[in-house]
Every structure is written in C-alpha cells, then in structure tokens.
Amino acid sequence: MNTIATLLKGETGIISEESLDVIPLKLLEMGCLPGVEVELLQVAPLKDPLYICVNGSHLAIRKEMAAQIKIIKS
Amino acid sequence: MENPKPVKVALIGNPNTGKTSLFNQLTGLTQKVGNYPGVTVDKKQGSCKLSATKTAIITDLPGTYSINPTSVDESIVLKSLLNTGDKDFPDIIVVVADVENLKRNLFLFSQVKDLEIPIILAINMADQIDRKGISLDVETLQKELQTDIVLISARKNIGIDAVKKAIENCAEASITQPLCSINHKIDEDYFEKLKEVSSNHTLYELWLMITQNNFPATISEEEKKRLLEFTQDVSKVKRYQHKETIHRYKQINDILKRTYIVDHSKAKDLRSKLDRVFTHKIFGYVIFFGILLLIFQSIFDWSTAPMDFIDATFANFSEFIKINMAPGVLTDLITDGIIPGIGGVVIFIPQIAILFLFVSILEETGYMSRVVFLMDKIMRRYGMSGKSVIPLISGTACAIPAVMATRTISGWKERLITILVTPFTTCSARLPVYAILISLVIPEKKLLGIFSLQGFTLLSLYALGFATAMISAFLLHKTLKVKSTSFFVAEMPNYKLPSLKNVVFDVLEKTKAFVLGAGKIILAISVVLWFLASNGPQSYKDVEQNITENVAYKNLSSGEVQQKIAAAKLENSYIGIMGKSIEPAIKPLGYDWKIGIALISSFAAREVFVGTLATIYSVESDDENTSTIKERMRAEINPDTGEKMFNLPVGMSLLIFYAFAMQCMGTLAIVKRETKSWKWPMIQLFGMGALAYLASFITFIIFS
C-alpha cells in the first residue's frame, strides 16, 4: 500500500479518496485534499519530517501523519 | 451626505502574504510581515484617510489559513468575526491574498465571504505575475467571486490608493451574499434546521458557532441551548466540516480553471537549490550551528559597550538626582528604588535587541522554517516540536519573549513542555551573577595552555542550562499526563530577501513589548525591595544613634561610620530580618543571611544579586564599580570558620543555584498568562527551586 511516507524523493502521487477521514481538517484546509497531486520534495536528515508540495502549498508534515495518507503513485 | 463615523475595516489573510505590509502602507503605522513568534497577536489598529471626508479604522488580524482556529493567534480572527455586537466589529473585510498561491488564499476568502460582511479581495505581489509565469483574468474572477478585486504590491507601495478607493466604494455599495452555499451540497435538512435557530445570524455564522463551540453575546440562552444540541453528534460535525472544505476547494478550482494559469517551468529552481543546502544532512546542521555561534558571539561582543554605557548613565543620573534634590524619602525612592529599577530593565535592551534582530532576519528570509524542519525529529524525542527551537534560542536573551514565542506550537503538550523548560536556558540576567562569582572563585588559569578556566566555566554553565532543559523536557515527556492531540504542519515559505523596514520595526516592537511587559514587574519589585531594605522595626530606627554613640567607632572617619550605619541598617531592615529568618534553611548550601537577602531580592530579576551584595557589603550605592564590589566580597569573612566567605564551595554552590532556580517573577507571570493557570508557574517555581537546592547542596559538599 502506498502512502505519502512511501514516496521517494522527487516522486509524485495522487491522494486517494479513502484518505479523507484520516487527514486532519487543518491539513485539508491547507490544500492537502483527496484527488490532488502530492510531490515529495525533501526528507529531513533523520528521515522525518517530510517536505511536500501539494496543491501549490509547500508543507512539512511528520512521517506518522504521512503514513496515514494513502496515495496512488503516478 | 457626509458620514462622520469612520468605516471599520479588518485585514485578514494567510501568513506570509504581505498583509501587515499593506497595513503599514495604509495606516503609516509600523508593524511587521511574517507569521512567527507572537507576531500580530494583539489587535493592531490604525487609521487611514480614504478621501477628504472619509476615514477608516483598520485592524490587522493575525495571519491564518482558515477561520477554524488551531492556535491562540488564530482564534482571535474567529472571535472578531463572530462578535457582530462588538463595537469593533468590521464594516468591511479586506482579504489579502498572495498571487503565487491563490488557491489556498481563496479558501480563506471563501469562508469569510460566507459571513456576508462586505468584502474586498486584495491580491498581493502582483508585480511578480509575469516573472512567475502566471496569467490572471481579473475581470472574470471578480464576477465569479462576486467581489471587488484590487491588484497590489504592498512592499513596493503599488495599488494602495486603489485599495482605499475600493474601501470607500464598498462602504457605499455593501451588497453581500454567500459564495458557497454549504447547505445544498452537504445535508440540506440539517442546515435548514440550523438556520431556523436564529434569524439574526447567517447560516455560516451559526455553523461556525457549532464547530468552534464559540457563542457570541448576541446569541440568547435559548438559542445557545438549541445550538448545543447540534454539537452532540461530534463525528457528524467533523464529517461535515471535511465535506465543506472539499466543497470549497472544488468551487475554487472550477473558478480558477477559467481565470488563473501558471506556467510551472518558470522560477522554481532557486527554492529547491537552497533547500538542498539548508536541509542537507550535514551542511544543514553545520550551517545552523554556525549561525547559532554567530548569534551568541554577537550577543556578547556587540552588547558590552552599550551595556556599560547604560550602566554608567543610570548610575550618573542617580547621582545627579541625589546631588540636586533635597535629601529625604522621595529622593531615596527615586535614586535607590526607581532609577536602578528602570536601569535593571534597560540594561538588557542591547542583548535582547541583537537577538531579536537575528531571529527576525532568519524568519523574514524563510530560513527559520528550515530549522524547524531539521530539528523536529530530534526535539520530538524530548517531547517538544521543531518549533520549540526558536523559544529555546530566545531564552538565552530572556525567557519572557521566549515563552510568548511558544504560541506557534500547536500541540498543547509540546508547547507546555517548551514553556516549562525554557527558563533553564541561560538568560542574560544570569550573566552578571555568573561573571562576578566566577571572577571571585575560579582562578585565572589556562586550561591546556589555551582556554581560560574562567571562560570554560562560563561555557559549562551555558551547556548545563541547555542540558538541564533537554533532560527535564525528556522527563516531563515521559511523566506528564496531558491530553493533547499533537499535530504538526509547518509551511515552508519561499526564500526572500529580508526587508530592512520590516526587520527594524519587528525588533523595535518586540523590544518595546519586553520593556513594557517585563519592565513593569521588575520596576515594581525593585520599589518593594527598596522599601523593605530602607524600613524596619524599632531596632532599625535606633541603628544610627547606636553606632554614632559607640565608643569602639570613635576613631573611624565619617565615611567609615556611614558605611557601618548602612550595613547595620540593612541588617535590621525588614529584608534583613527576612534574610536572617531563612538563614537556617540555606546554611547547608554554605550561605549566610546576607546571601539570603540577595537570594530573596533576586526574585525581581537575578542580576539584582550583584547590586544587593554591593549594598550589603556596605559599598556606597552610587559607586557600583564591580572591582570594588568584588574586593568587598573577597574580603568578607565567614564568622563561623574565620575563612573567606566566597570560597570555591560557596561560589560553586551559588553558581549552581542560579543556574537552576526559578528566580524571575516576570517569567512566572508570563507563564501564568500563557498557560491560563497558576498550576504550571508554581510547578516551575517549586520544581526548579527544589532542584536548585539539592544540586547546590551536593555541589557544596563536593567542593568542601
């Protein structure tokens, strides 16, 4: 199963619809929505947090959160 | 017809959109751009002349991504937009949006629009449109969003007049309707029922009251009861909030598809190149620690001269008053209470201003977000967040602004731990205490021929402070049972050159906040201490007579007699009595009642220690020459042992005591305010006090 956490640096994926319930409202509001493309830009030196670009927003989120957001790799 | 009443305008927008820049341009007041520590938390207002007859009162609301708040700062936005009955309730809202990330900015716009308050959309950084490969159809967008749109470039002062014009026109027109009809798309019955609760509020307002559990004064008890029924089904409310968000983005996407095109091939390179360097697994940390070293170095190097100058100025001023005013209680209050009290605050301004200068530049450029990214995993092991790094760095200047800077940490437990451990970092108030004690008890030797032993001791005390902060954070992390949903998301803004204006205003504002906030407390306590030190029971009043009539002192010069009187007066004053009463408790640490007085008076601010000892060891108060104080302290004999009072064991024990003890009323007051409870400041006071006592006791035994 692919999640944002399984993306490699530079890879992109589409956030799957079933992730809707696990994404916190704040993240949704910042543009991290189902059906949207997400790109993993950087990984912090200790493999956590992850630096992503989603819907034009550049965000750092923790791996534990990223691992809950399922994606379809593109 | 002329309208004498000014229009009330609120500015709202995402962090980093240049909202505060626009505010500065409109009002001529000086505020700051950016979203990090504690910025724009207080309601900022200014007035703006729209035309010959009209003015506007403009409020700058804190930057937020959504009306639904996740932090203290953001909740201010919701409160000011829901309180329709409030006297500051805005007539017009100006939403400031960044052209580069219009989609997310329009999300907030869409929420605000549904409150049905007259609204204007100001799209900032319009001068970047071409460079970023953006094409924007303003006319269509205007129609689709049912709003006036103004293109501005706030930093370059472009489009400001157009904003004023739009505010003026909007005040006349004021037609409002919601953009996004949440009821049709989610659950028509549910929202129809909700709407029936109150006719005085729009549907979206009522919905916000439910989701945020925030009921303004305009809601009656009866209505509140009915609204509370809606909040019963928590999961339904949450589900509908999610649906609302998706629906809003869908609508915005549809609109932007027709009006906004970005050519992504342009201008994306610099950010990723810089990110690769600043977040590199080796260089990232090297750069960060290099910057930290530079900051500390500068704090010490640059601040010495201005601090000496301030010290001398206040001493001279005090002396000047003493000479030119009739002697009496009032003069004493001014020269020994108020002036040293104010001086005790002002002396910290150089160090604090230098620190804020660095922090402000690092924030302005966008680098600070990369530090948060680098440090988050490490800090999390200690129960904190990457965002805790900034408070911990700020703590080396002063814990008070540092505690306020924790507001950006959204997880309550992470924020609380950061607040609780920040006072362990070596603040600038400890420095004068360390300096005098080290010079008294640590020999001027070289370590391995290069490092000065005294400097090494000072460095060790700094390291001890950080280490204790981290260790206690770890212990708190493992033991604290606090309900908290730790959720971390940090925006990584684009890199930009810092604007000199913004940095200068930011430093001024934060320094001012420190002087006014902490200053009041330090000043008040200084005055209280002065009173306690210059008043006492009958024995205090008899001191002068007893000494002048004492045959043993017949041969002394009048200056020496005066010193004897001053010392005896202090001993018999209220504070002397307090010092003596705690003597049994501090004896195991190696201290006598005189040091006890210094410990008590240190509660105003730690550096008072030096001044108090100066008074106790009967150095005339106008001559605060450190070497004199030092010599007096060096000459002080412990009557029990007949040896020097300030020997290595006592000195080390005091150093450790000052490193650990929570001797700062200002910090306690700010912690109370930020945690909204006396529980946490009391835990700090007694926890750190107990640690200080124990550690000093052990230190004293080891070195004895």
Side-chain angles (χ1 to χ4, degrees):
Chain A
M1 185 193 64
N2 286 321
T3 66
I4 293 183
T6 61
L7 279 175
L8 297 174
K9 205 167 120 181
E11 279 187 330
T12 57
I14 307 285
I15 300 175
S16 75
E17 296 293 333
E18 55 188 314
S19 297
L20 177 59
D21 292 334
V22 297
I23 304 176
L25 183 62
K26 170 126 183 180
L27 211 49
L28 285 176
E29 291 178 332
M30 289 174 98
C32 189
L33 304 161
V36 162
E37 189 184 70
V38 53
E39 182 185 354
L40 184 68
L41 295 178
Q42 291 277 338
V43 180
L46 297 166
K47 309 273 177 247
D48 189 11
L50 308 175
Y51 178 177
I52 58 169
C53 177
V54 57
N55 229 340
S57 286
H58 295 79
L59 307 172
I61 60 170
R62 287 180 181 164
K63 206 169 187 172
E64 132 199 51
M65 172 92 278
Q68 291 180 43
I69 304 175
K70 291 179 192 156
I71 54 155
I72 301 146
K73 264 196 192 172
S74 37
Chain B
M1 213 180 75
E2 195 178 305
N3 186 2
K5 247 181 141 183
V7 209
K8 284 169 288 180
V9 180
L11 298 186
I12 175 169
N14 283 187
N16 298 313
T17 49
K19 179 175 59 67
T20 310
S21 277
L22 174 64
F23 177 68
N24 289 344
Q25 301 287 13
L26 284 174
T27 60
L29 278 182
T30 51
Q31 312 287 333
K32 121 124 199 173
V33 190
N35 66 323
Y36 255 128
V39 198
T40 6
V41 132
D42 299 314
K43 208 171 191 175
K44 284 182 187 166
Q45 288 189 319
S47 78
C48 167
K49 210 161 176 51
L50 298 175
S51 67
T53 51
K54 279 207 179 111
T55 52
I57 301 289
I58 303 193
T59 307
D60 187 22
L61 293 173
T64 181
Y65 299 104
S66 156
I67 284 188
N68 303 318
T70 43
S71 76
V72 195
D73 299 16
E74 291 174 2
S75 64
I76 293 167
V77 177
L78 179 76
K79 270 186 200 135
S80 34
L81 294 183
L82 269 190
N83 264 326
T84 44
D86 193 75
K87 67 172 174 47
D88 280 334
F89 186 77
D91 301 317
I92 297 170
I93 294 173
V94 177
V95 175
V96 186
D98 181 347
V99 74
E100 220 188 316
N101 197 345
L102 202 52
K103 199 187 285 173
R104 197 187 62 207
N105 284 276
L106 284 184
F107 174 77
L108 177 65
F109 172 86
S110 139
Q111 290 181 319
V112 179
K113 175 82 175 151
D114 287 359
L115 293 170
E116 298 176 41
I117 304 166
I119 194 169
I120 295 163
L121 177 63
I123 299 182
N124 195 16
M125 316 214 198
D127 57 317
Q128 306 266 330
I129 285 185
D130 289 337
R131 210 169 61 83
K132 303 268 179 198
I134 298 167
S135 60
L136 183 67
D137 178 355
V138 178
E139 208 162 305
T140 315
L141 193 61
Q142 217 157 221
K143 244 181 242 147
E144 295 281 355
L145 297 175
Q146 304 154 27
T147 184
D148 262 350
I149 294 179
V150 189
L151 292 180
I152 62 169
S153 185
R155 273 196 185 193
K156 293 184 178 159
N157 204 4
I158 299 168
I160 308 302
D161 285 335
V163 174
K164 290 184 192 173
K165 192 104 201 150
I167 293 173
E168 200 183 349
N169 293 340
C170 188
E172 281 159 8
S174 63
I175 317 154
T176 59
Q177 57 195 131
L179 179 70
C180 176
S181 327
I182 44 172
N183 51 338
H184 300 307
K185 304 285 164 38
I186 301 172
D187 182 338
E188 201 152 358
D189 286 351
Y190 182 89
F191 284 98
E192 211 44 56
K193 263 186 217 143
L194 177 61
K195 198 171 180 163
E196 282 164 15
V197 172
S198 168
S199 53
N200 295 329
H201 291 86
T202 66
L203 175 61
Y204 188 56
E205 280 171 352
L206 295 171
W207 173 234
L208 280 175
M209 290 174 204
I210 295 177
T211 55
Q212 303 308 322
N213 233 327
N214 187 326
F215 304 99
T218 45
I219 285 288
S220 70
E221 277 305 309
E222 173 60 29
E223 287 166 340
K224 188 174 165 182
K225 218 196 257 162
R226 288 177 64 189
L227 285 174
L228 281 172
E229 281 168 23
F230 282 88
T231 61
Q232 294 304 312
D233 192 344
V234 181
S235 69
K236 194 177 202 174
V237 170
K238 195 184 150 213
R239 205 164 60 239
Y240 284 0
Q241 269 186 299
H242 281 207
K243 280 193 172 172
E244 179 203 336
T245 306
I246 290 185
H247 179 57
R248 283 186 195 281
Y249 264 106
K250 208 181 238 164
Q251 195 182 18
I252 293 164
N253 267 332
D254 283 347
I255 294 174
L256 286 183
K257 222 175 264 168
R258 275 168 281 149
T259 53
Y260 180 84
I261 301 157
V262 193
D263 179 0
H264 281 292
S265 62
K266 282 197 185 177
K268 214 186 165 183
D269 240 22
L270 184 66
R271 175 203 279 263
S272 56
K273 269 184 195 154
L274 287 174
D275 274 340
R276 229 171 289 152
V277 178
F278 287 133
T279 64
H280 188 270
K281 59 184 170 200
I282 297 163
F283 300 132
Y285 292 106
V286 170
I287 293 170
F288 176 50
F289 287 109
I291 290 175
L292 276 188
L293 272 181
L294 176 74
I295 294 177
F296 289 137
Q297 183 68 24
S298 315
I299 287 178
F300 291 123
D301 270 8
W302 301 352
S303 62
T304 321
M307 283 174 95
D308 288 346
F309 173 76
I310 292 167
D311 202 18
T313 309
F314 273 88
N316 291 340
F317 185 56
S318 194
E319 182 69 3
F320 173 80
I321 298 278
K322 214 170 234 172
I323 294 166
N324 289 287
M325 269 177 69
V329 178
L330 183 64
T331 310
D332 282 352
L333 172 65
I334 293 172
T335 57
D336 297 338
I338 294 176
I339 293 178
I342 296 174
V345 180
V346 174
I347 192 103
F348 293 120
I349 291 178
Q351 288 191 336
I352 286 177
I354 292 168
L355 182 89
F356 284 152
L357 177 74
F358 278 104
V359 172
S360 181
I361 291 173
L362 295 182
E363 278 167 8
E364 275 267 322
T365 52
Y367 176 72
M368 211 52 130
S369 302
R370 275 68 188 182
V371 173
V372 169
F373 180 65
L374 270 183
M375 297 299 290
D376 184 63
K377 184 71 196 261
I378 300 170
M379 299 304 281
R380 221 179 320 156
R381 290 189 188 143
Y382 298 91
M384 293 187 278
S385 142
K387 296 178 182 179
S388 307
V389 173
I390 300 147
L392 289 176
I393 296 173
S394 305
T396 54
C398 177
I400 292 167
V403 168
M404 291 197 283
T406 61
R407 284 179 188 160
T408 51
I409 303 169
S410 54
W412 169 238
K413 191 177 173 185
E414 293 176 343
R415 180 166 175 231
L416 183 63
I417 291 177
T418 312
I419 290 177
L420 291 177
V421 305
T422 292
F424 277 121
T425 56
T426 305
C427 67
S428 52
R430 286 181 174 104
L431 205 57
V433 182
Y434 286 176
I436 197 158
L437 287 172
I438 286 176
S439 67
L440 268 177
V441 300
I442 306 290
E444 272 182 73
K445 269 192 216 148
K446 292 265 185 224
L447 213 61
L448 304 171
I450 23 173
F451 303 108
S452 120
L453 188 59
Q454 294 189 339
F456 178 76
T457 311
L458 185 64
L459 199 69
S460 308
L461 284 164
Y462 268 86
L464 179 71
F466 268 117
T468 316
M470 296 309 275
I471 293 167
S472 35
F474 185 77
L475 294 176
L476 286 167
H477 176 45
K478 294 289 170 209
T479 53
L480 262 188
K481 296 276 177 284
V482 182
K483 251 197 221 148
S484 161
T485 44
S486 157
F487 167 61
F488 175 90
V489 57
E491 197 192 356
M492 308 290 270
N494 215 342
Y495 292 100
K496 53 176 187 251
L497 282 174
S499 133
L500 179 70
K501 196 172 158 193
N502 289 340
V503 170
V504 169
F505 291 151
D506 183 39
V507 172
L508 281 179
E509 192 184 298
K510 283 182 181 165
T511 311
K512 204 171 96 190
F514 163 77
V515 171
L516 296 181
K520 262 184 276 178
I521 298 160
I522 297 178
L523 179 61
I525 293 173
S526 302
V527 171
V528 170
L529 287 174
W530 165 82
F531 175 83
L532 292 175
S534 56
N535 287 279
Q538 192 55 42
S539 60
Y540 174 86
K541 291 166 188 130
D542 296 337
V543 160
E544 195 155 356
Q545 204 184 355
N546 288 347
I547 288 190
T548 37
E549 286 172 5
N550 191 331
V551 270
Y553 298 140
K554 269 274 155 57
N555 300 327
L556 295 177
S557 72
S558 72
E560 283 169 320
V561 172
Q562 284 307 314
Q563 283 181 9
K564 286 265 181 271
I565 292 174
K569 270 190 165 174
L570 190 70
E571 189 176 348
N572 286 290
S573 66
Y574 289 120
I575 203 163
I577 294 164
M578 286 163 79
K580 286 208 159 150
S581 65
I582 66 161
E583 191 173 28
I586 55 175
K587 200 129 204 180
L589 312 183
Y591 315 153
D592 63 356
W593 64 271
K594 293 177 186 174
I595 298 176
I597 293 178
L599 290 185
I600 294 171
S601 55
S602 288
F603 272 93
R606 294 177 175 94
E607 81 285 1
V608 174
F609 176 81
V610 181
T612 311
L613 286 183
T615 320
I616 298 171
Y617 296 125
S618 44
V619 177
E620 294 192 275
S621 58
D622 53 50
D623 180 23
E624 289 212 356
N625 189 329
T626 314
S627 69
T628 332
I629 300 173
K630 214 158 78 185
E631 277 156 26
R632 297 277 173 179
M633 285 170 77
R634 188 164 280 154
E636 181 72 10
I637 299 293
N638 185 340
D640 293 343
T641 58
E643 284 172 20
K644 276 187 184 166
M645 186 68 219
F646 287 95
N647 51 14
L648 188 66
V650 172
M652 289 305 289
S653 162
L654 267 173
L655 284 174
I656 295 299
F657 191 89
Y658 272 82
F660 291 153
M662 179 70 203
Q663 296 160 293
C664 181
M665 291 279 195
T667 305
L668 289 172
I670 228 77
V671 170
K672 194 256 159 185
R673 208 181 76 190
E674 294 293 318
T675 61
K676 295 191 183 62
S677 143
W678 277 112
K679 182 182 167 191
W680 302 112
M682 285 304 118
I683 285 177
Q684 278 182 315
L685 180 64
F686 292 107
M688 293 173 72
L691 175 64
Y693 189 88
L694 212 69
S696 305
F697 179 61
I698 293 168
T699 311
F700 184 66
I701 290 175
I702 291 174
F703 284 92
S704 294

